[in-house]
Amino acid sequence: MSILKRVPWVSLALVLLSYSTLGWVISEAHPPVFVWLITVFAILLLIVTLTAPWPKMTYYILLKSNTRTFGVAVLAAFLFFIMIAWFQIFLDTLLIISATILVRIDFQRAGLREGLAFSTASIFSLGGLALGALIYNLIYSQIPLRL
């Protein structure tokens, strides 16, 4: 079977769309360059986290001490507060994470290598981010403002 037939195109299209909305939203705020760099780093970190094998992840995340358990509980409470306080941002973030997880599951089901899953998901995610920013800039740079 050809590798192009095994690639989950629908899931990749969902990732492209969800990350393009992120690029659009960030472009609306007109942030400095370091915000874009932090966003790219966070996207790559999310994809690495999802494409790494679970036994390696559990080795680093296991709660072996009371201090680490307390830190995780405080972090979880803080994240719950953020979820309630900024519900719209939470839903957008949940959509992006869900689309990325769907791609990971589809790549795993297709039996493709982790390196290929990471590189393809990274290309589509960062491409979607750039596409959203590009579309925003093309649309709003063409329309003159009339007050």
PDB file of all heavy atoms in Angstrom, residues 81-101:
ATOM      1  N   PHE A  81      -8.864  26.761  37.116  1.00  0.00           N
ATOM      2  CA  PHE A  81      -9.255  28.162  37.253  1.00  0.00           C
ATOM      3  C   PHE A  81      -9.169  28.882  35.908  1.00  0.00           C
ATOM      4  O   PHE A  81     -10.075  29.627  35.535  1.00  0.00           O
ATOM      5  CB  PHE A  81      -8.359  28.865  38.280  1.00  0.00           C
ATOM      6  CG  PHE A  81      -8.484  30.356  38.230  1.00  0.00           C
ATOM      7  CD1 PHE A  81      -9.604  30.989  38.736  1.00  0.00           C
ATOM      8  CD2 PHE A  81      -7.485  31.125  37.656  1.00  0.00           C
ATOM      9  CE1 PHE A  81      -9.734  32.363  38.677  1.00  0.00           C
ATOM     10  CE2 PHE A  81      -7.599  32.500  37.589  1.00  0.00           C
ATOM     11  CZ  PHE A  81      -8.726  33.126  38.099  1.00  0.00           C
ATOM     12  N   ILE A  82      -8.096  28.657  35.181  1.00  0.00           N
ATOM     13  CA  ILE A  82      -7.930  29.285  33.855  1.00  0.00           C
ATOM     14  C   ILE A  82      -9.056  28.825  32.929  1.00  0.00           C
ATOM     15  O   ILE A  82      -9.589  29.621  32.154  1.00  0.00           O
ATOM     16  CB  ILE A  82      -6.557  28.929  33.266  1.00  0.00           C
ATOM     17  CG1 ILE A  82      -5.465  29.456  34.144  1.00  0.00           C
ATOM     18  CG2 ILE A  82      -6.422  29.348  31.825  1.00  0.00           C
ATOM     19  CD1 ILE A  82      -4.728  30.655  33.676  1.00  0.00           C
ATOM     20  N   MET A  83      -9.391  27.540  33.012  1.00  0.00           N
ATOM     21  CA  MET A  83     -10.448  27.000  32.163  1.00  0.00           C
ATOM     22  C   MET A  83     -11.774  27.717  32.428  1.00  0.00           C
ATOM     23  O   MET A  83     -12.500  28.068  31.504  1.00  0.00           O
ATOM     24  CB  MET A  83     -10.609  25.497  32.409  1.00  0.00           C
ATOM     25  CG  MET A  83     -11.688  24.854  31.582  1.00  0.00           C
ATOM     26  SD  MET A  83     -11.945  23.137  32.005  1.00  0.00           S
ATOM     27  CE  MET A  83     -12.924  23.290  33.471  1.00  0.00           C
ATOM     28  N   ILE A  84     -12.084  27.949  33.673  1.00  0.00           N
ATOM     29  CA  ILE A  84     -13.342  28.609  34.018  1.00  0.00           C
ATOM     30  C   ILE A  84     -13.294  30.099  33.678  1.00  0.00           C
ATOM     31  O   ILE A  84     -14.254  30.663  33.143  1.00  0.00           O
ATOM     32  CB  ILE A  84     -13.666  28.402  35.522  1.00  0.00           C
ATOM     33  CG1 ILE A  84     -13.839  26.924  35.835  1.00  0.00           C
ATOM     34  CG2 ILE A  84     -14.902  29.189  35.935  1.00  0.00           C
ATOM     35  CD1 ILE A  84     -14.951  26.235  35.094  1.00  0.00           C
ATOM     36  N   ALA A  85     -12.172  30.745  33.974  1.00  0.00           N
ATOM     37  CA  ALA A  85     -12.069  32.190  33.768  1.00  0.00           C
ATOM     38  C   ALA A  85     -12.080  32.572  32.294  1.00  0.00           C
ATOM     39  O   ALA A  85     -12.725  33.535  31.900  1.00  0.00           O
ATOM     40  CB  ALA A  85     -10.808  32.718  34.447  1.00  0.00           C
ATOM     41  N   TRP A  86     -11.368  31.824  31.475  1.00  0.00           N
ATOM     42  CA  TRP A  86     -11.274  32.130  30.045  1.00  0.00           C
ATOM     43  C   TRP A  86     -11.829  30.959  29.251  1.00  0.00           C
ATOM     44  O   TRP A  86     -11.095  30.244  28.564  1.00  0.00           O
ATOM     45  CB  TRP A  86      -9.842  32.397  29.647  1.00  0.00           C
ATOM     46  CG  TRP A  86      -9.249  33.602  30.274  1.00  0.00           C
ATOM     47  CD1 TRP A  86      -9.882  34.778  30.534  1.00  0.00           C
ATOM     48  CD2 TRP A  86      -7.915  33.754  30.718  1.00  0.00           C
ATOM     49  NE1 TRP A  86      -9.010  35.646  31.110  1.00  0.00           N
ATOM     50  CE2 TRP A  86      -7.793  35.052  31.230  1.00  0.00           C
ATOM     51  CE3 TRP A  86      -6.795  32.925  30.731  1.00  0.00           C
ATOM     52  CZ2 TRP A  86      -6.601  35.529  31.751  1.00  0.00           C
ATOM     53  CZ3 TRP A  86      -5.615  33.409  31.243  1.00  0.00           C
ATOM     54  CH2 TRP A  86      -5.531  34.690  31.738  1.00  0.00           C
ATOM     55  N   PHE A  87     -13.126  30.787  29.303  1.00  0.00           N
ATOM     56  CA  PHE A  87     -13.750  29.610  28.711  1.00  0.00           C
ATOM     57  C   PHE A  87     -13.601  29.577  27.191  1.00  0.00           C
ATOM     58  O   PHE A  87     -13.368  28.517  26.617  1.00  0.00           O
ATOM     59  CB  PHE A  87     -15.230  29.547  29.111  1.00  0.00           C
ATOM     60  CG  PHE A  87     -15.838  28.212  28.855  1.00  0.00           C
ATOM     61  CD1 PHE A  87     -15.440  27.105  29.582  1.00  0.00           C
ATOM     62  CD2 PHE A  87     -16.806  28.044  27.883  1.00  0.00           C
ATOM     63  CE1 PHE A  87     -15.991  25.863  29.358  1.00  0.00           C
ATOM     64  CE2 PHE A  87     -17.356  26.809  27.650  1.00  0.00           C
ATOM     65  CZ  PHE A  87     -16.956  25.719  28.387  1.00  0.00           C
ATOM     66  N   GLN A  88     -13.724  30.716  26.514  1.00  0.00           N
ATOM     67  CA  GLN A  88     -13.611  30.743  25.055  1.00  0.00           C
ATOM     68  C   GLN A  88     -12.198  30.338  24.616  1.00  0.00           C
ATOM     69  O   GLN A  88     -12.031  29.563  23.676  1.00  0.00           O
ATOM     70  CB  GLN A  88     -13.953  32.133  24.509  1.00  0.00           C
ATOM     71  CG  GLN A  88     -13.889  32.230  22.999  1.00  0.00           C
ATOM     72  CD  GLN A  88     -14.903  31.337  22.311  1.00  0.00           C
ATOM     73  OE1 GLN A  88     -16.032  31.219  22.775  1.00  0.00           O
ATOM     74  NE2 GLN A  88     -14.505  30.702  21.235  1.00  0.00           N
ATOM     75  N   ILE A  89     -11.190  30.844  25.310  1.00  0.00           N
ATOM     76  CA  ILE A  89      -9.811  30.472  24.989  1.00  0.00           C
ATOM     77  C   ILE A  89      -9.590  28.998  25.276  1.00  0.00           C
ATOM     78  O   ILE A  89      -8.908  28.302  24.515  1.00  0.00           O
ATOM     79  CB  ILE A  89      -8.821  31.351  25.783  1.00  0.00           C
ATOM     80  CG1 ILE A  89      -8.957  32.799  25.327  1.00  0.00           C
ATOM     81  CG2 ILE A  89      -7.393  30.866  25.624  1.00  0.00           C
ATOM     82  CD1 ILE A  89      -8.199  33.775  26.181  1.00  0.00           C
ATOM     83  N   PHE A  90     -10.185  28.507  26.347  1.00  0.00           N
ATOM     84  CA  PHE A  90     -10.076  27.088  26.675  1.00  0.00           C
ATOM     85  C   PHE A  90     -10.677  26.225  25.573  1.00  0.00           C
ATOM     86  O   PHE A  90     -10.093  25.212  25.185  1.00  0.00           O
ATOM     87  CB  PHE A  90     -10.767  26.803  28.012  1.00  0.00           C
ATOM     88  CG  PHE A  90     -10.954  25.347  28.291  1.00  0.00           C
ATOM     89  CD1 PHE A  90      -9.882  24.555  28.630  1.00  0.00           C
ATOM     90  CD2 PHE A  90     -12.211  24.768  28.194  1.00  0.00           C
ATOM     91  CE1 PHE A  90     -10.041  23.203  28.871  1.00  0.00           C
ATOM     92  CE2 PHE A  90     -12.388  23.424  28.442  1.00  0.00           C
ATOM     93  CZ  PHE A  90     -11.296  22.642  28.782  1.00  0.00           C
ATOM     94  N   LEU A  91     -11.837  26.634  25.054  1.00  0.00           N
ATOM     95  CA  LEU A  91     -12.464  25.846  23.988  1.00  0.00           C
ATOM     96  C   LEU A  91     -11.626  25.851  22.714  1.00  0.00           C
ATOM     97  O   LEU A  91     -11.491  24.814  22.050  1.00  0.00           O
ATOM     98  CB  LEU A  91     -13.868  26.378  23.694  1.00  0.00           C
ATOM     99  CG  LEU A  91     -14.915  26.109  24.766  1.00  0.00           C
ATOM    100  CD1 LEU A  91     -16.243  26.730  24.366  1.00  0.00           C
ATOM    101  CD2 LEU A  91     -15.066  24.633  25.020  1.00  0.00           C
ATOM    102  N   ASP A  92     -11.051  26.995  22.371  1.00  0.00           N
ATOM    103  CA  ASP A  92     -10.179  27.047  21.196  1.00  0.00           C
ATOM    104  C   ASP A  92      -8.951  26.159  21.381  1.00  0.00           C
ATOM    105  O   ASP A  92      -8.548  25.440  20.463  1.00  0.00           O
ATOM    106  CB  ASP A  92      -9.743  28.488  20.917  1.00  0.00           C
ATOM    107  CG  ASP A  92     -10.905  29.373  20.498  1.00  0.00           C
ATOM    108  OD1 ASP A  92     -11.952  28.826  20.082  1.00  0.00           O
ATOM    109  OD2 ASP A  92     -10.773  30.610  20.604  1.00  0.00           O
ATOM    110  N   THR A  93      -8.367  26.205  22.565  1.00  0.00           N
ATOM    111  CA  THR A  93      -7.204  25.372  22.858  1.00  0.00           C
ATOM    112  C   THR A  93      -7.577  23.895  22.834  1.00  0.00           C
ATOM    113  O   THR A  93      -6.829  23.059  22.310  1.00  0.00           O
ATOM    114  CB  THR A  93      -6.618  25.749  24.223  1.00  0.00           C
ATOM    115  OG1 THR A  93      -6.355  27.145  24.247  1.00  0.00           O
ATOM    116  CG2 THR A  93      -5.351  24.991  24.516  1.00  0.00           C
ATOM    117  N   LEU A  94      -8.735  23.564  23.364  1.00  0.00           N
ATOM    118  CA  LEU A  94      -9.199  22.179  23.358  1.00  0.00           C
ATOM    119  C   LEU A  94      -9.415  21.673  21.931  1.00  0.00           C
ATOM    120  O   LEU A  94      -9.078  20.530  21.620  1.00  0.00           O
ATOM    121  CB  LEU A  94     -10.495  22.058  24.168  1.00  0.00           C
ATOM    122  CG  LEU A  94     -11.032  20.652  24.374  1.00  0.00           C
ATOM    123  CD1 LEU A  94     -10.050  19.827  25.190  1.00  0.00           C
ATOM    124  CD2 LEU A  94     -12.374  20.710  25.077  1.00  0.00           C
ATOM    125  N   LEU A  95      -9.919  22.523  21.054  1.00  0.00           N
ATOM    126  CA  LEU A  95     -10.093  22.151  19.649  1.00  0.00           C
ATOM    127  C   LEU A  95      -8.753  21.847  18.998  1.00  0.00           C
ATOM    128  O   LEU A  95      -8.609  20.839  18.294  1.00  0.00           O
ATOM    129  CB  LEU A  95     -10.797  23.269  18.891  1.00  0.00           C
ATOM    130  CG  LEU A  95     -10.868  23.089  17.375  1.00  0.00           C
ATOM    131  CD1 LEU A  95     -11.880  22.027  17.031  1.00  0.00           C
ATOM    132  CD2 LEU A  95     -11.162  24.391  16.703  1.00  0.00           C
ATOM    133  N   ILE A  96      -7.761  22.676  19.237  1.00  0.00           N
ATOM    134  CA  ILE A  96      -6.435  22.467  18.648  1.00  0.00           C
ATOM    135  C   ILE A  96      -5.805  21.186  19.167  1.00  0.00           C
ATOM    136  O   ILE A  96      -5.265  20.379  18.401  1.00  0.00           O
ATOM    137  CB  ILE A  96      -5.547  23.700  18.927  1.00  0.00           C
ATOM    138  CG1 ILE A  96      -6.041  24.879  18.096  1.00  0.00           C
ATOM    139  CG2 ILE A  96      -4.087  23.409  18.644  1.00  0.00           C
ATOM    140  CD1 ILE A  96      -5.406  26.189  18.463  1.00  0.00           C
ATOM    141  N   ILE A  97      -5.881  20.974  20.471  1.00  0.00           N
ATOM    142  CA  ILE A  97      -5.301  19.767  21.064  1.00  0.00           C
ATOM    143  C   ILE A  97      -6.030  18.523  20.558  1.00  0.00           C
ATOM    144  O   ILE A  97      -5.405  17.507  20.245  1.00  0.00           O
ATOM    145  CB  ILE A  97      -5.315  19.854  22.598  1.00  0.00           C
ATOM    146  CG1 ILE A  97      -4.344  20.944  23.059  1.00  0.00           C
ATOM    147  CG2 ILE A  97      -4.964  18.527  23.241  1.00  0.00           C
ATOM    148  CD1 ILE A  97      -4.418  21.257  24.532  1.00  0.00           C
ATOM    149  N   SER A  98      -7.351  18.593  20.453  1.00  0.00           N
ATOM    150  CA  SER A  98      -8.131  17.443  19.975  1.00  0.00           C
ATOM    151  C   SER A  98      -7.793  17.093  18.534  1.00  0.00           C
ATOM    152  O   SER A  98      -7.668  15.915  18.180  1.00  0.00           O
ATOM    153  CB  SER A  98      -9.622  17.727  20.103  1.00  0.00           C
ATOM    154  OG  SER A  98      -9.964  17.943  21.432  1.00  0.00           O
ATOM    155  N   ALA A  99      -7.641  18.104  17.693  1.00  0.00           N
ATOM    156  CA  ALA A  99      -7.281  17.845  16.298  1.00  0.00           C
ATOM    157  C   ALA A  99      -5.899  17.212  16.207  1.00  0.00           C
ATOM    158  O   ALA A  99      -5.671  16.288  15.412  1.00  0.00           O
ATOM    159  CB  ALA A  99      -7.330  19.137  15.491  1.00  0.00           C
ATOM    160  N   THR A 100      -4.972  17.672  17.042  1.00  0.00           N
ATOM    161  CA  THR A 100      -3.624  17.111  17.039  1.00  0.00           C
ATOM    162  C   THR A 100      -3.631  15.674  17.548  1.00  0.00           C
ATOM    163  O   THR A 100      -2.934  14.815  17.004  1.00  0.00           O
ATOM    164  CB  THR A 100      -2.685  17.984  17.885  1.00  0.00           C
ATOM    165  OG1 THR A 100      -2.816  19.353  17.476  1.00  0.00           O
ATOM    166  CG2 THR A 100      -1.247  17.565  17.716  1.00  0.00           C
ATOM    167  N   ILE A 101      -4.426  15.403  18.557  1.00  0.00           N
ATOM    168  CA  ILE A 101      -4.542  14.028  19.066  1.00  0.00           C
ATOM    169  C   ILE A 101      -5.157  13.119  18.011  1.00  0.00           C
ATOM    170  O   ILE A 101      -4.732  11.967  17.838  1.00  0.00           O
ATOM    171  CB  ILE A 101      -5.352  14.003  20.379  1.00  0.00           C
ATOM    172  CG1 ILE A 101      -4.547  14.637  21.510  1.00  0.00           C
ATOM    173  CG2 ILE A 101      -5.764  12.587  20.755  1.00  0.00           C
ATOM    174  CD1 ILE A 101      -5.329  14.836  22.793  1.00  0.00           C
TER     175      ILE A 101
END
